[in-house]
């Protein structure tokens, strides 16, 4: 018999701190697999962000700098400018990227920084205990929308993958999910594509992962995954929204 | 014909793997591991094809698959 | 009232209802005229499933609600038992859930360990989830500052409608816990 | 919750503060989530709509403080809350509010830094709070609650001061005071306050109004700053607040604030039992600092021990306040998980230094 | 004879501090005319921003609060939440709104705050002496792009009116110019439409004005106006990009 | 410009600083425009590309400081520059850099506040700079140039200190020092510095590295902060720098920094002619503050006059440094257009107080 | 038939009004106002229709138009 | 070198080349071995067209490069004349551009006013824009610290290629300015 599935060595072999059924774990693994596939461990500089995934560096075995909440794209820009030949990625939650970090992500994308952004949209602030995120669905109750998110007070949930796509600097933008095996496998392919976008120097690549937060959704892991399918995907369609085939600016 | 190796102490009993198994080969047992989680185990019936779906869906990378 | 002081850490995992019984004890002691502080764990401390709270009950103004070395530890699972057992003050007591920590051991002589098979006993009376209430019953019997009757009075506040619905179960859990302690203390 | 309707409640510091804010007339909250102040927005998102107020989770702390500035410019009672990193991000906005004389309440339920640091309680933002972490010559009154009861009481005081002096006011609490529950006695809610005469409302039947901090003409900014300085001097004269505990006959004084002062009180009781005549001075206002009582005490006592949960910040203010030649010592614990000193620890320090 | 053109009373009768031929003066006047037309003086609260237009309050006779650089949309949100029946507008330069204030404008737009944003895109930082703005055209030399703006270092000039339009909260988004009389008259109409959008409570309205900065462009006023026509409009097309006819969220 | 090739040049403070940064090995600049520091990015946008460096105008000060953090994490010599409001916005990032021990140079060419304030020179950011305007217990070395020549010289020192101590370093200049031209003597550019052993470069042939400021485990943050505190104590011991001017025989001492110290020197010359034996102590490092020389002088002189272009900030440090009982007076001008004191004005104050 | 009234002291001589005048009725003269600007004036030929274009294009609102 | 000190404010509107002549004077004085500071107006001060700079020339270390009350004012237009005229020190001098400020008047007796019709004279020699150079010529003649020859030497640095092209014109402007002052000082 041959081992057909094993932990990628880029994913450090320790127990994770994530709640049971949290999709962060899956997205971490896919990231490690992509690093592995392209042989990037030795030339990668990762930028972690603030959220449940702050401990990225405990799990992914690459050089890492911890960015302040929301600022990973700016930190990554600093990294990128100094070492243009390294592989650089950020890993950011939806509070981090789409609320406090909105300016940094847009300008980074618009500059076409040749980095990859892994964006984990779980429609909630996980780490701080379940407050409304910019991505929280309308009507959803959270710690700070006890009566449900309401457009006229709280605005609409924002679709980052589509929103960023029109920016000239964006070479690749897509949305994926890991709620079931088919989506997960497609997610992996798309993440690999994003990595390749950077490797080929095409510019800014962005992959939005729909992700379950069973804890703050108050659901079991299986129910939470189902909510991704039944409530999130209808509002946040999966797909590739931009895909440059070659650099336009060199 | 496949085989799954489950690192039961790492399992958090989330159940995502069993949902993913086309063969319904896995189930959550009634024993807890040291962390207090009821962990996943083979149901003892059916057959594992080694398709890896369970392992791929496990957020805690608990399962190794052989084929 | 005579001078009195005690502090307790309730500790377990997220779903075990640790905070709830800490609150219940606090309110009951308050009703009894004591000064009380309650201090929960919070934030990232809670990720990975740990949960604990500290209750201080005193007749004198309370300084710190955070207790490094408690007089009493109520440990609902292995992690919390391991984390806090060596911090219990000399002369102090540990109530430990022996269902989940069958091999409980405190190396220190001056600490008394009272094992109660909380999950098992709770299952016996019909719902494993009542283990926290049972733990509270045990603790109340141990410290003898408030009675189970006092706890009963505050239950509506902390349990809400559930209490109306399952009143007897709750009270039974409380009682069983207390009785277990009586047996061994 | 039913318990909220009673006058005596058992509640968390953060909730006591949020409750008091509403009772003090606050109807607008803008803030961004951060531990360990989460219960404040949680409470207000639930309760503000019930009293006709508005709760908005802003997209960032920078947006929050600027929403405060906008709402405050209309004369509304408005607040935000945050912790360490979030408060740092607000510094520009606070400086603007001070410069434009716009009132508002900023709550810092302090956690440890620098950087992401941790979420344990801390007093490491003392300098930032009392020296104006933002640019330019301004100060903000800073209130340091020592209990959930004071979280409650000082929210009233904060709005009083904010409107009396047209200034942002900060409540500097810490993770323990914010998270702990204790009994709190509530008072009567304040009646609605009249709209201040500088408030923007639309220039209906009057000349248009302007709130700004830019003063470019020669001499203009200097004049404005000196006017503000007068205000700060008035605050320094009239608003210092502090608690003295067993100081009447004390030979030794501990000076501490917030959670540390609470613990130190128990330590003092312990030390007294051991025959050390110690007392405590607890600054309730960190700015204005209670200079006078420290001056007085320092003339009398043998030694002052400053205890802080940081690497030594308030001790500067104590040194600046005490009579020259006073023996002032510092005991600190650098904040972080597990570093909150116990009462025995502080008592031990007293023993060591006061014996 | 009848007076057919005069200064609107909302525009205070003092000399302006703007450089000769600066379009800010025109945009100020149009703003005053709109306030006049809809009788808004008494119920308006303006939010000024930081840039050459910081002295808005010296010219436009309404209650005004001065926002920190880039934060006018947040300040306006605070205003709007307290007094929902007032008329609220911000007036912001392109450095202010599209660089430092990117996060605030997007979130304000996304919330659908019922305010009007007057956005003055002169493709440069006027007040600070002619540095590159997010809107600076490629190849353009500025104080901080001495060799011309270059995409691979500085990113692409950003088209704010189009970029904001897809956000659900945006009720009205348009771009206008005031370089010549036809454009100016159309600009006025569109600004009036934006005001009406707010008056009708439809949500966030946004008007981007292409604007000349003769001083920092190093051109005469007439040449500068020509540059708007010949270089800016081709990259920044004029038009209405979004126009809601009724509220969708009440 | 041809004049740049000479070793003696007549140049603006801001340009001298930018020039020196390159000669000290700085190859990366991230910053956002603001008056009165515009010449720094202007110079660097032109010159950095010529030496293989990168210049990026960031979208904001927050982005700037975080780009600094990212570039600094790679061990690169990197800088930003700003003024008042922009520096306030950087406080979170500076705190993170300090917490993560990432070096970098932050230049504040100070203007007056609070809020938008004005663009006249100011020393109103003294507290912010020296007390850590950000959250948590950290300090940053702060260098205060008094001339274009020192803008030049201190840029070298700043990078030295930043890398020696793994810390962000601030140069606190003011609008006059930044804008004025004067003769500057240049030195030899530094040879390229070796990459520090903590720098992130990709984990090639070694274990992966991590730069962070989050320390959650029990005791971890306290340990880290105490380690940093040792560093600060070392800085306080080894790095104070100051200038003394006519202090040997002085009966009276003026203490001032930056532009005010320059002016005060002329005032002292004037006072000396009138027979007042005055001298000047000019702190060059504001943190570490030159405690020792002030202690020494205070034991000897009759009076100390602190002169500041703010409402009185450094005077606290002088009080904390001087021997108890020293007569310390403050003369300040609140910053704003037209409020820079003349030499006659300061001389007049000396006359009044020292006679 | 129209008439323009020019507040010459406010004119900055930018020339935008003359560009806008369909009748080429305006020009910049050779006299400076107190601010040192060469200000706009009627060219003394042609006829003003009172169309307001000049006034509308003036950033400094220098021109009043009568018709 | 004997002890020497003077300070001058050059003031006019944006296009008048005020900064340029301040720089030229500074460099020339520097070459002569003086200590020199040059302080420009900057930022929003410059909006609306004002521009000024202050040059201090001294044999002793210079304190403030910002001068509230200058010994000499060179005012190129009305605004700058009005703004600074009352700040000139007793015993000081104002060189005023009488083309643009025909009705110059300083109320104070102790201040000497030297009118030079800069625009007119510059026009005469062929280019009105040379008025700033002419003003510099006047100033140099007045202070007699550096000669027009010294200025000539630094012109390539401050004027660049223009100087090569229009050398004679520049020198003529300088001379004419100096001669005007000789006539009236
Ligand atoms: C400046 C600042 N503001 C707020 C916080 C508190 N905080 C920590 S994580 C977080 C957001 C977490 O949500 P998200 O980014 O969606 O990540 P998730 O935990 O959901 O994966 C916040 C607000 C902080 N650390 N810093
Ligand atoms: C936080 C902050 N950063 C920078 C500045 C400096 N500043 C003033 S105006 C301005 C930008 C001006 O450009 P823009 O917004 O395009 O307006 P314009 O002058 O071109 O009309 C800047 C960067 C500031 N005042 N505050
Ligand atoms: S709180 Fe949510 S996002 Fe965070 S670890 Fe738990 S499930 Fe995952
Ligand atoms: S490998 Fe496939 S068949 Fe085997 S247990 Fe896993 S999912 Fe089921
Ligand atoms: S998915 Fe993994 S953690 Fe979840 S039950 Fe299966 S093996 Fe256990
Ligand atoms: S600098 Fe440009 S934008 Fe500013 S007033 Fe002058 S022309 Fe207008
Ligand atoms: S009103 Fe019309 S015709 Fe008359 S001057 Fe003005 S633009 Fe020309
Ligand atoms: S447009 Fe106005 S300012 Fe310009 S020249 Fe004409 S009248 Fe004068
Ligand atoms: Mg999230
Ligand atoms: Mg602009």
């Amino acid at each position: 018999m041959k081992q057909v599935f094993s932990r990628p060595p880029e994913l450090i072999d320790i127990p994770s701190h994530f709640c049971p059924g949290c999709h962060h774990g899956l997205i971490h693994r896919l990231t490690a697999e992509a690093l592995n596939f392209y042989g990037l461990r030795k030339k990668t500089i990762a930028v972690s962000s603030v959220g449940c995934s702050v401990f990225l560096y405990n799990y992914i075995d690459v050089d890492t700098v911890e960015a302040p909440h929301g600022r990973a794209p700016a930190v990554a820009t600093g990294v990128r400018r100094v070492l243009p030949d390294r592989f650089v990625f950020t890993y950011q939650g939806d509070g981090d990227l789409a609320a406090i970090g909105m300016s940094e992500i847009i300008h980074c994308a618009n500059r076409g920084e040749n980095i990859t952004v892994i964006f984990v949209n779980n429609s909630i602030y996980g780490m701080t205990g379940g407050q409304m995120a910019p991505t929280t669905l309308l009507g959803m109750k959270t710690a700070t929308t006890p009566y449900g998110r309401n457009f006229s007070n709280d605005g609409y949930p924002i679709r980052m993958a589509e929103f960023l796509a029109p920016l000239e600097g964006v070479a690749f933008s897509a949305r994926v999910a890991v709620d079931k095996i088919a989506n997960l496998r497609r997610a992996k392919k798309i993440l690999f594509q994003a990595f390749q976008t950077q490797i080929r120097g095409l510019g800014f690549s962005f992959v939005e992962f729909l992700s379950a937060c069973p804890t703050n959704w108050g659901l079991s892991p299986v129910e939470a995954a189902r909510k991704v399918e039944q409530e999130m995907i209808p509002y946040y369609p999966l797909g590739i929204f931009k895909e440059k085939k070659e650099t336009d600016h060199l | 014909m496949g085989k799954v190796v489950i690192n039961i102490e790492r399992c958090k009993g989330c159940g995502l793997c069993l949902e993913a198994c086309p063969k319904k080969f896995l189930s959550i047992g009634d024993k807890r591991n040291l962390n207090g989680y009821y962990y996943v185990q083979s149901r003892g019936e059916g057959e594992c094809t080694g398709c890896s779906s369970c392992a791929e869906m496990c957020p805690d990378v608990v399962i190794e698959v052989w084929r | 009232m005579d001078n009195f002081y005690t502090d307790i850490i309730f500790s377990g995992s997220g779903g075990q209802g640790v905070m709830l019984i800490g609150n219940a004890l606090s309110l009951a002691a308050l009703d009894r005229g004591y000064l009380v502080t309650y201090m929960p764990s919070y934030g990232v401390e809670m990720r990975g499933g740990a949960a604990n709270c500290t209750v201080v009950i005193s007749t004198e103004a309370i300084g710190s609600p955070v207790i490094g070395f408690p007089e009493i530890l109520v440990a609902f699972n292995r992690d919390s038992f391991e984390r806090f057992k060596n911090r219990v003050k000399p002369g102090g007591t540990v109530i430990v859930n022996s269902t989940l920590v069958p091999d409980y051991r405190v190396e220190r002589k001056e600490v008394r360990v009272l094992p109660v098979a909380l999950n098992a006993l709770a299952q016996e009376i019909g719902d494993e989830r009542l283990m926290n209430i049972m733990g509270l019953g045990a603790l109340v019997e141990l410290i003898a500052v408030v009675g189970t009757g006092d706890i009963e009075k505050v239950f509506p506040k902390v349990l809400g409608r559930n209490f109306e619905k399952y009143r007897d179960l709750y009270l039974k859990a409380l009682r069983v816990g207390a009785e277990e302690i009586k047996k061994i203390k | 919750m039913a318990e909220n309707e009673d006058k005596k409640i058992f509640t968390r510091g953060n909730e006591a503060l949020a409750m008091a804010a509403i009772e003090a007339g606050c109807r607008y909250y803008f803030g961004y989530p951060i531990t360990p102040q989460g219960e404040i927005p949680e409470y207000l998102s639930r309760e503000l709509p019930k009293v006709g107020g508005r709760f908005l989770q802003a997209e960032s702390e920078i947006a929050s403080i600027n929403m405060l500035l906008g709402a405050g410019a209309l004369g509304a009672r408005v607040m935000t809350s945050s912790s360490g990193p979030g408060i740092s991000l607000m510094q520009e906005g606070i400086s603007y509010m001070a410069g434009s004389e716009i009132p508002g309440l900023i709550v810092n339920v302090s956690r440890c830094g620098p950087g992401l640091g941790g979420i344990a309680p801390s007093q490491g933002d003392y300098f930032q709070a009392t020296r104006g972490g933002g640019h330019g010559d301004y100060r903000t009154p800073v209130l340091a609650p020592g209990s959930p009861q004071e979280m409650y009481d000082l929210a009233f005081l904060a709005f009083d001061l904010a409107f009396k002096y047209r200034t942002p006011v900060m409540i500097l609490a810490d993770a323990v005071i914010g998270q702990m529950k204790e009994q709190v006695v509530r008072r009567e809610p304040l009646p609605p306050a009249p709209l201040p005469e500088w408030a923007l409302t639309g220039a209906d039947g009057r000349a248009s109004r302007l709130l700004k901090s830019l003063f470019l003409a020669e001499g203009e900014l200097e004049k404005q700053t000196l006017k503000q300085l007068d205000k700060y001097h008035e605050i320094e004269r009239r608003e210092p607040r502090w608690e003295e505990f067993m100081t009447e006959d004390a030979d030794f004084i501990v000076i501490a604030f917030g959670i540390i002062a609470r613990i130190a009180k128990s330590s003092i009781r312990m030390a007294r039992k051991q025959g050390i005549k110690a007392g405590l001075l607890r600054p309730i206002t960190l700015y204005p600092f209670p200079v006078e009582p420290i001056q007085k005490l320092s003339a009398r006592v043998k030694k002052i021990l400053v205890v802080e949960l940081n690497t030594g910040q308030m001790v500067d203010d104590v040194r600046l306040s005490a009579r020259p030649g006073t023996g002032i010592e510092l005991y600190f614990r650098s904040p972080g998980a597990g570093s909150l000193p116990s009462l025995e620890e502080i008592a031990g320090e007293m023993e060591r230094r006061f014996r």
Side-chain angles (χ1 to χ4, degrees), chain D residues 58-93:
Chain D
E59 67 269 26
S60 70
E61 291 87 355
I62 290 187
S64 307
I65 192 72
N66 284 293
M67 290 172 186
L68 214 67
L69 188 152
L74 310 196
R77 299 202 158 204
V78 55
M79 69 175 285
T80 187
S81 56
S82 187
S83 189
I87 298 289
S88 288
L89 289 167
M90 292 183 188
Q91 292 306 326
E92 188 205 25

Side-chain angles (χ1 to χ4, degrees), chain A residues 44-56:
Chain A
T44 293
I45 290 155
V47 183
S48 72
S49 66
V50 184
C52 278
S53 58
V54 66
F55 296 116
L56 183 80

Side-chain angles (χ1 to χ4, degrees), chain A residues 21, chain B residues 6 10-18 26 28 38-40 54 57-63:
Chain B
I6 301 171
R10 288 275 177 87
C11 175
K12 292 179 181 157
C14 70
L16 296 188
C17 55
L18 29 140
L26 302 170
I28 299 283
Y38 293 102
Y39 52 83
V40 97
C54 56
M57 279 305 292
C58 174
D60 289 86
V61 203
V62 166
I63 305 176

Side-chain angles (χ1 to χ4, degrees), chain C:
Chain C
M1 210 165 1
D2 283 353
N3 269 2
F4 176 83
Y5 176 95
T6 193
D7 48 36
I8 308 117
I9 291 184
F10 295 96
S11 175
S13 73
Q16 289 179 317
V18 158
M19 308 298 206
L20 186 141
I21 57 171
N23 268 303
L25 174 65
S26 300
L27 291 175
L30 211 59
D31 284 349
R32 274 283 183 182
Y34 290 95
L35 298 171
V36 182
T37 64
Y38 164 94
M39 180 74 205
S41 61
Y42 59 94
V44 277
E45 271 188 63
M46 294 161 71
R47 218 49 8 96
N52 65 73
C53 67
T54 305
V55 176
V56 181
I57 303 175
S58 173
T59 48
E60 251 186 284
I62 299 169
S64 187
V66 176
I67 301 299
F69 304 92
E71 294 186 354
I72 303 171
L73 168 66
V74 183
F76 285 101
N77 68 358
R78 176 179 308 273
D79 267 9
S80 58
F81 177 74
E82 295 300 333
R83 182 166 167 204
F84 292 110
K85 68 176 187 189
N86 289 324
R87 297 221 186 148
V88 175
K89 272 214 185 105
T93 308
V94 179
I95 296 178
V96 59
N97 177 1
S98 55
T99 316
L100 294 187
V101 199
D103 55 343
Y104 59 85
R105 272 249 322 272
V106 178
E107 284 74 21
R108 293 152 54 217
K109 286 271 155 47
E110 349 75 279
V111 171
R112 187 168 50 146
V113 182
L114 303 176
V116 187
L118 292 171
N119 288 68
L121 288 167
Q123 244 162 352
E124 273 174 32
I125 70 166
D127 192 338
E128 196 177 350
R129 284 172 304 176
L130 288 169
M131 57 164 294
N132 63 334
I133 307 293
M134 200 169 281
L136 177 59
L139 185 273
V140 162
E141 176 61 31
L142 177 72
I143 60 174
V145 180
V146 300
T148 48
D150 298 309
I151 299 286
E152 192 181 334
K153 273 188 228 142
V154 302
F155 263 167
K157 270 197 199 169
V158 295
L159 294 165
R161 277 202 223 110
N162 260 342
F163 182 59
E164 303 311 318
K165 255 161 99 185
Y166 305 108
R167 179 185 192 91
D168 289 349
L169 262 181
Y170 282 116
L171 296 183
K172 182 155 185 207
L174 211 53
R175 233 178 309 118
V176 172
E179 274 154 23
E180 283 300 307
I181 288 296
K182 262 190 214 149
K183 285 189 212 154
I184 54 177
K185 87 167 172 184

Side-chain angles (χ1 to χ4, degrees), chain D residues 230-344:
Chain D
D230 281 347
K231 185 162 98 176
Y232 298 135
H233 287 156
E234 192 183 334
I235 291 174
E236 286 165 17
R237 255 189 339 268
R238 297 174 52 164
E239 308 297 351
R241 279 163 177 82
W242 69 94
E243 180 195 355
E244 291 187 36
F245 174 72
M246 300 196 172
T247 53
E248 310 79 29
D249 65 338
D251 293 332
F252 305 97
I253 292 288
V254 172
I255 301 184
F257 72 98
I259 180 62
I260 297 296
R262 260 192 92 107
I263 302 173
K265 261 194 209 173
S266 303
S267 314
I268 284 169
R269 276 194 217 95
M270 181 180 263
R272 285 253 170 190
K273 282 180 198 148
Q274 253 106 69
I276 299 175
K277 278 166 103 182
L280 173 81
L281 186 140
R282 175 172 73 93
I284 296 173
T285 52
L286 302 183
Y287 177 82
F289 197 69
V291 174
E292 229 183 85
I294 292 179
Q295 225 164 44
K296 278 194 197 135
L297 285 173
S298 66
R300 217 187 63 203
V301 302
K302 296 188 190 141
K303 211 183 241 182
I304 289 177
L305 176 63
V306 177
V307 186
E308 297 189 67
L309 187 58
N310 56 37
T311 62
Q313 301 192 7
M314 184 180 65
V315 65
D316 274 10
D317 280 332
V318 173
R319 290 204 181 104
L320 290 168
S321 303
R323 303 244 165 155
T326 309
I328 297 170
E329 297 189 9
L330 169 67
Y331 178 67
F332 71 85
R333 283 295 295 269
S334 171
S339 77
L340 187 71
S342 65
L343 81 96
E344 292 84 1

